[in-house]
Amino acid sequence: MKKLFLLLVVSVLLLSACSNEAKIEQLSKEVDGLAAQGKYLEAAEVQKEINALRRGEKYIKDENPKKTAEIGCKSNFEKLEITNTSINWSRHSDVGDLTGEITNNGSKTLDGYFSVYFFDEDNRIVKDYMTHIPDGGISPGETKYFSIPINKFDFSYYEF
């Protein structure tokens, strides 16, 4: 009886391990496909599920990782103040620079990207540019100059 029970337990464990490996292989293909499409946050969620499976844990996938990331970063980046902005167009070409200053009014050093959105008179976004916070981040209380190269186009106003 003990041998039969032991054989049954070993069989269940073996089938479970094979099932997990098949699931991990399937999820790895999903990670590759999402990454190839540029869906990096979604790919990271699937990778978290793979890591949990390897540890023998259950993972509940975040169905909207972009929104979760935005919420997580938003509170810190709300402490950034952008001032003294201006656009300087080249006299000889259709390019220019959007310049200004960025100040960290928060208590944490911040590094990452910020965006500027250009709107038409109907409040629709006509262009957007993203740029890295200068010099690898900004410390609390620090102000840094930034410059974003842009192409000439029609717009009514812009926001960061």
Side-chain angles (χ1 to χ4, degrees):
M1 187 67 165
K2 284 183 181 181
K3 285 183 181 182
L4 182 60
F5 179 72
L6 185 60
L7 184 60
L8 182 61
V9 168
V10 169
S11 297
V12 168
L13 290 174
L14 187 59
L15 287 173
S16 177
C18 289
S19 174
N20 274 352
E21 286 305 313
K23 179 75 173 173
I24 288 170
E25 186 175 327
Q26 173 193 358
L27 291 171
S28 293
K29 289 178 183 175
E30 186 177 346
V31 167
D32 292 342
L34 289 167
Q37 296 173 37
K39 296 181 178 181
Y40 302 111
L41 291 173
E42 293 86 348
E45 280 302 306
V46 177
Q47 186 61 52
K48 289 176 187 176
E49 185 175 357
I50 291 170
N51 296 344
L53 277 171
R54 288 185 173 142
R55 291 188 306 268
E57 300 170 358
K58 181 151 179 79
Y59 181 74
I60 299 172
K61 206 181 321 184
D62 184 344
E63 296 303 321
N64 194 344
K66 184 176 182 180
K67 183 176 181 179
T68 302
E70 288 172 355
I71 290 169
C73 292
K74 188 174 185 178
S75 62
N76 289 328
F77 280 82
E78 285 178 346
K79 303 291 184 181
L80 293 177
E81 179 182 11
I82 297 175
T83 57
N84 301 321
T85 62
S86 66
I87 297 178
N88 306 302
W89 297 111
S90 169
R91 292 182 183 175
H92 308 293
S93 67
D94 286 342
V95 297
D97 290 299
L98 170 62
T99 60
E101 295 177 339
I102 184 168
T103 301
N104 183 353
N105 294 319
S107 59
K108 294 180 181 178
T109 297
L110 297 175
D111 189 17
Y113 293 86
F114 66 99
S115 295
V116 58
Y117 299 93
F118 292 86
F119 296 86
D120 65 14
E121 57 276 344
D122 296 323
N123 300 321
R124 291 184 303 228
I125 296 173
V126 292
K127 281 267 196 214
D128 65 278
Y129 290 90
M130 183 171 54
T131 191
H132 195 269
I133 292 175
D135 304 324
I138 186 167
S139 300
E142 185 175 18
T143 298
K144 290 188 173 184
Y145 173 83
F146 68 86
S147 178
I148 304 170
I150 59 175
N151 296 319
K152 202 169 205 176
F153 56 92
D154 291 327
F155 66 95
S156 292
Y157 66 99
Y158 57 91
E159 293 180 359
F160 292 88

